[in-house]
Amino acid sequence: MDIIFLLIPIAIIFVACAIWAFFYSVNSGQFEDLESPAHSILFEDDDHLIPDDVKEQEKDGKEQKPE
């Protein structure tokens, strides 16, 4: 029974921290735009990863020959 006097304040502190973290994230704009990150994976933004010679071959309409 004595442990309940320790667990209740710890639970209250834990809930208070969770509420503070939620309101902090809302105020800092974490929940402003929930759809853009899901749609961003559909856009091709990896052009900087493609070597320049392959880009030139694609522009010319040539395919790269396997070696």
Side-chain angles (χ1 to χ4, degrees):
M1 185 68 180
D2 291 335
I3 194 71
I4 201 148
F5 295 122
L6 178 66
L7 290 178
I8 290 176
I10 289 175
I12 292 172
I13 291 170
F14 181 72
V15 168
C17 289
I19 291 172
W20 173 81
F22 173 73
F23 283 110
Y24 177 77
S25 62
V26 168
N27 288 335
S28 66
Q30 293 290 321
F31 299 113
E32 290 293 322
D33 187 14
L34 298 176
E35 294 181 8
S36 290
H39 294 289
S40 67
I41 63 170
L42 301 175
F43 301 119
E44 292 191 28
D45 58 348
D46 57 353
D47 287 337
H48 65 282
L49 299 175
I50 301 173
D52 291 334
D53 58 340
V54 175
K55 286 182 188 178
E56 292 174 6
Q57 289 177 356
E58 288 178 356
K59 287 180 184 177
D60 295 338
K62 300 176 186 174
E63 293 185 14
Q64 187 177 6
K65 297 179 182 177
E67 295 179 10

